[in-house]
Amino acid sequence: MSFVRRAATVLAAATALTAGLALPALAHVSINPGTAEQGGFTKVAFRVPNERDNAATTKVQVSFPTDHPLAFVSVKPVPGWDVKVTEGKLPKPVKTEYGDLEEAVTTVVWSGGKINPGEFQEFEVSMGQLPKDVDSLTFPTKQTYSGGEVVDWADAPKSDGTEAEHPVPTLKLVPASGDDDHHSAASAPASAAPAAATGPSVAPVAASAASSSDGTARLLGGAGLVVGVIGVVVGALGLRRRSA
């Protein structure tokens, strides 16, 4: 019986370790899918989990890049939440294929709803045209809780490769594939280009397929670790019974 108790202790410790590895990745504010094609249009979801067990998330503010502004931004309504899209004057005009862009969306704020403990919410945005000369865009995000706490998700990656405490949500940009689907998706908002030549417009854009998050991969890997530990424990119990 003492051996069984020790085996149970080892199993419990392995489970706790697995949870410790998987949960932090799931708790971060992230962009899904995490990649899009350069020069195209995409739909992403800002995934916001609630990290507190004694407060609800009541406000989410996402800042959009001004060094590589996006001329077309539209948001999908979220039941129970109000949304405010703010446009601002850029530090300097940016040349686009639709003309000089002097103003663009700078922030999108969702408020009035609640993300309770143990829950998450996704806030969807269609946007473009994505820049062709950079490999990523960052979207600093402020998460406000009902108790007044504000978590600023704006930390840049660490130089040693480890994850920052509050990593900034990042959209990685990859070279365009050049397939027909990509061009057809990009052509939808292009018809509105003449009206958008002097400033940004808000227009719906076709969506790209969602991909799984890094947090899910870690969770599945952790589950595999637990299953392996269970197998070792069961095998050891069988050998001990044969010896007896």
Side-chain angles (χ1 to χ4, degrees), residues 152-181:
D152 194 0
W153 298 93
D155 293 348
K158 294 184 178 181
S159 57
D160 61 1
T162 59
E163 194 171 54
E165 182 178 2
H166 299 106
V168 60
T170 301
L171 178 65
K172 295 182 180 179
L173 302 181
V174 299
S177 62
D179 56 31
D180 293 338
D181 291 339

Side-chain angles (χ1 to χ4, degrees), residues 79-94:
W81 291 80
D82 300 321
V83 61
K84 180 180 180 182
V85 180
T86 300
E87 296 181 1
K89 193 172 183 64
L90 300 174
K92 61 179 181 179
V94 176

